[in-house]
Amino acid sequence: MAYDEVLAQRLHELLDAEPGLTTRAMFGGLGFMLDGHMAVAAGSGGSLMVRVDPADGEAWTDGETVRPMEMRGRAMTGWLLVDGPELAEDERLRLWVGRGVDHVRGLPPKQPKEPRGA
C-alpha cells in the first residue's frame, strides 16, 4: 500500500521551509529527512512515523493511537507510529512533527556517502 498523500501534503506544508529537507520514498512511505536523518514519514494507511528519543517515546506511548513502531515483528527503538485522532487536528500533527524535528536536529549531520567504486 502506498503512503497517504494527504498526510504527505500536510507534512510538506509544515516542513518545506526547514533547512536541509529532502524527501525519499522508503518502506512504502515517504520519509522527510533533515540533514540526512529521517524525522517523520507518511506511512501507509494514514499513519505517521516519528523519530524520537527512546526515553521520551516510552512516556508518549498510549498503546492505541501512539505505539512503538514495529518492522517484521520487532519494535524499532526510537520510532513511534501515530494514528487517528492524533493526526486529525493540525495542532496535534504539528506537535508530533516538532518532536521528530527536535530529535533529529540534535543529531550530527550525516556525511554524504561516496559513490560506489570511488
Side-chain angles (χ1 to χ4, degrees), residues 51-114:
R51 187 167 185 187
V52 297
D53 182 302
D56 293 333
E58 196 171 311
W60 295 331
T61 301
D62 68 10
E64 293 179 27
T65 59
V66 181
R67 59 193 182 283
M69 186 172 160
E70 290 187 13
M71 188 170 276
R72 296 186 181 112
R74 291 179 37 191
M76 294 180 61
T77 302
W79 286 94
L80 296 177
L81 196 60
V82 181
D83 288 310
E86 284 297 309
L87 303 178
E89 300 291 328
D90 289 342
E91 182 178 325
R92 296 300 296 172
L93 178 62
R94 195 174 308 112
L95 171 78
W96 286 106
V97 170
R99 288 174 172 172
V101 168
D102 289 347
H103 181 66
V104 299
R105 288 292 187 210
L107 302 173
K110 284 192 172 183
Q111 298 300 315
K113 293 182 181 179
E114 289 194 26

Side-chain angles (χ1 to χ4, degrees), residues 23-34:
T23 58
R24 181 181 302 165
M26 53 178 47
F27 310 118
L30 182 65
F32 289 75
M33 323 279 281
L34 298 174

Side-chain angles (χ1 to χ4, degrees), residues 1-13:
M1 183 183 298
Y3 61 87
D4 182 318
E5 292 185 22
V6 172
L7 178 58
Q9 182 58 42
R10 291 174 69 203
L11 294 173
H12 273 293
E13 290 168 7

